[in-house]
Amino acid sequence: MIHLTVKSMKARGLAMLLLLVWTILLVGCSQRAPSIIGVPTASREDDGPALFRDITTASGIDYTYRNGAEAGHLSILESLGGGVALLDFDGDGRLDIFLAGGGFFEDKEIRGRPCKLYRNLGGNKFSDVSDRLHIDGTWFYSHGAAVGDYDRDGWPDLLLTGWDRLALFHNEPVEPGDTGKGRQLVDVTHKAGLTSHSWSSSAGWADFDGDGYPDLYICYYVNWSFANHPRCGRPADICPPKVFDGLPHKLFRNNRDGTFTEVSSEAPLRPGGPDASKGLGVLLVDINGDGKPDIYVANDTADSFLYVNRCIPGHFRFEERGLVSGTARDGGGSPNGSMGVDAADYDHSGRPSLFVSNYENEYHALYRNDCRGDKVLFQYASRTAGLTVLGQSTVGWGGGFFDLDRDGWEDLFLATGHAIRYPPRSGGDPHQRPLLLRNQGGTFTDISDQGGAYFRSTHLGRGVAFGDLDEDGRIDLVISHLNEPVVLLHNEAQTSHHWLGVELIGRNHADVVGAKLILEYDGQTQTRFAKGGGSYASSSDRRHVFGLGKVDKIARLSVIWPNGEQEQWKDLMIDRYHRLVQGKSEVKP
């Protein structure tokens, strides 16, 4: 028998009490840890040159998206921000930059600010040619931009979304018959039948019914207006989307004569409501390999949509499979506050997996594509792919996949910034650091510290477009923010890796969204997908850049066009771009 003195019993009791308290603290900390891991308040610059350099000032780009926050309304309209579109509007072979402008308030009247168009002069220099944008009437409070050749004349057109209207800009010669006068973008919205008096966010173009002409999907957000503008929070702040009903999205058939007809009911699309719709991002891509572009929609605090394309010529029909496919909610079965979206074959499976940027206290989502045949199924892969180590402190917006250093694996960039004015978690500061993730064989590692000065500071990021602006085979970034200048980040990753650039041109300029590209080289295979929409409220370079690593020759590039035709090209020269035209074996530079 062990005899304990009173003193020793008290000492042991005190020790047990301290041990219990320490255990509780450890458990509590471990439960909160995922929300702060990987988001340091200070950063360091790793050894070696930065991966990106901010060349905005030297490029000639000087513009800021304004949201009207100075009026003090604290409206949810102010939280969305704007997007970026990359398009070669004048046909000189270089990507030009379109920037949504936002708006302001006159008392409770919602006004728009002019959008901007910058012409690429080469050598990373740009010139403001916004006088080539001809709006019918006054500018409206704008958000998103989507690029597509809706009339199949070989010239990219542009759709602009925003508050209470849309604008469709047709790409036209300044003076018919005189090519020397250049091109312009002319507002043809009313002529096209795209009149809308609701709040649209993102949009995307794709030929859903197989007639070669791109149709149009438009996300709509919530039913906010100054007539429905409650006060939220103490202190007062922007109301969350859960306070409002979601607006129904819209699908428009291209009538092939320059006009459009709404077919949302025929599709049918899901209705809006308290816990439905609230769309912020949309991606159009063939997820199940049948050549037909499907629709994935990132909804804010509501189930995301996955519309599987069941259209036949002349008839629009979609099957909504978000919940049953595993793409409507996160790994815990909860809908997220989702903003941006993209797809890529991140794990070399040959299938497009989906990435979704989400809100604070949620993980950014990666859904691994397990579709086979008629089975449409995805697995929540954020943890296995390494994304959960980023924590849950960031609010993600525009972002997507790109091969940063041409090693053959697509990496990730994500623009971040809070949606409310005074987030308590960060001491009232809504600015956040962007994220740069390297793909190491299907698992992602945070390399934001290596990105450069932009990545070591905080921002209110929103839309981002990806594109090779100077034709060097490295993907650059154009990022829009709230009330701070647009930034152009030049990719300066030091690499000797080779690359192959491809632009797809459909027969008679038919839309190519839904096409699949398979590159074979040195016993390896990469797969890419022709997409519409993507990122957040933005439109990126539609060319495909394959990183080849040290390999200096390809075996073949196969293209499966949306109509099922298959073609192969061999002996394509590396370290350059090729224009591949459906049905023509010759290659255009």
Side-chain angles (χ1 to χ4, degrees), residues 162-436:
W163 174 260
D164 201 41
R165 73 163 287 196
L166 305 166
L168 177 62
F169 291 97
H170 184 235
N171 193 327
E172 302 177 357
V174 171
E175 188 172 311
D178 187 350
T179 58
K181 295 294 180 64
R183 310 287 298 186
Q184 61 186 344
L185 297 176
V186 179
D187 186 348
V188 295
T189 313
H190 291 281
K191 186 187 338 183
L194 289 175
T195 55
S196 172
H197 296 286
S198 191
W199 185 9
S200 54
S201 53
S202 293
W205 297 92
D207 172 20
F208 296 118
D209 62 345
D211 64 359
Y213 285 79
D215 309 296
L216 182 59
Y217 187 98
I218 303 177
C219 293
Y220 287 82
Y221 194 40
V222 299
N223 70 340
W224 174 87
S225 69
F226 277 116
N228 182 26
H229 181 50
R231 180 184 176 90
C232 295
R234 291 185 180 180
D237 208 328
I238 293 171
C239 288
K242 281 189 173 293
V243 172
F244 307 98
D245 287 351
L247 297 174
H249 304 179
K250 294 183 180 181
L251 179 64
F252 290 91
R253 179 184 64 217
N254 190 328
N255 296 326
R256 298 179 289 181
D257 60 0
T259 67
F260 295 81
T261 299
E262 185 179 351
V263 291
S264 308
S265 298
E266 177 184 341
L269 299 187
R270 289 287 180 89
D275 298 307
S277 295
K278 305 180 184 180
L280 285 180
V282 61
L283 179 73
L284 314 175
V285 64
D286 175 17
I287 56 103
N288 58 354
D290 63 359
K292 297 180 178 181
D294 307 295
I295 305 170
Y296 185 68
V297 182
N299 288 322
D300 193 2
T301 71
D303 287 346
S304 291
F305 298 146
L306 179 59
Y307 289 109
V308 179
N309 190 338
R310 307 298 189 193
C311 300
I312 59 175
H315 297 280
F316 283 75
R317 184 71 181 176
F318 289 86
E319 184 181 358
E320 206 287 296
R321 304 283 290 174
L323 272 177
V324 296
S325 69
T327 59
R329 299 179 178 180
D330 63 19
S334 298
N336 291 154
S338 302
M339 276 73 81
V341 62
D342 197 13
D345 179 15
Y346 82 97
D347 57 353
H348 287 194
S349 67
R351 298 182 294 272
S353 296
L354 299 170
F355 171 78
V356 184
S357 63
N358 288 323
Y359 197 69
E360 182 182 65
N361 297 322
E362 300 166 349
Y363 292 118
H364 304 302
L366 182 65
Y367 301 95
R368 184 168 57 84
N369 190 325
D370 284 339
C371 296
R372 289 176 175 81
D374 290 333
K375 185 183 73 171
V376 177
L377 183 63
F378 289 75
Q379 299 293 332
Y380 186 80
S382 294
R383 186 172 301 278
T384 56
L387 296 186
T388 54
V389 300
L390 297 172
Q392 299 176 316
S393 293
T394 53
V395 177
W397 295 85
F401 295 97
F402 72 114
D403 189 346
L404 168 69
D405 54 0
R406 305 195 300 237
D407 66 350
W409 295 88
E410 292 188 81
D411 310 296
L412 267 172
F413 169 81
L414 182 60
T416 65
H418 221 291
I420 62 176
R421 193 81 61 86
Y422 311 110
R425 187 173 197 165
S426 58
D429 184 2
H431 298 78
Q432 298 179 343
R433 286 183 57 202
L435 297 173
L436 183 63

Side-chain angles (χ1 to χ4, degrees), residues 4 6 28 37 51-52 90 120 147 154 165 182 199 223 290 299 303 319 339 401 415 417 450 486 516 526 543 572:
L4 297 175
V6 173
I37 289 175
L51 296 171
F52 287 93
D90 56 357
N120 190 336
V147 176
R165 73 163 287 196
W199 185 9
N223 70 340
D290 63 359
N299 288 322
D303 287 346
E319 184 181 358
M339 276 73 81
F401 295 97
Q450 302 172 34
V486 167
K516 181 178 180 179
Q526 287 188 52
R543 296 175 299 180
L572 294 175

Side-chain angles (χ1 to χ4, degrees), residues 417-465:
H418 221 291
I420 62 176
R421 193 81 61 86
Y422 311 110
R425 187 173 197 165
S426 58
D429 184 2
H431 298 78
Q432 298 179 343
R433 286 183 57 202
L435 297 173
L436 183 63
L437 309 176
R438 171 166 281 140
N439 186 346
Q440 297 179 298
T443 302
F444 292 89
T445 302
D446 185 357
I447 58 167
S448 304
D449 285 344
Q450 302 172 34
Y454 177 82
F455 291 85
R456 298 192 301 274
S457 55
T458 58
H459 309 273
L460 284 176
R462 290 300 186 262
V464 56

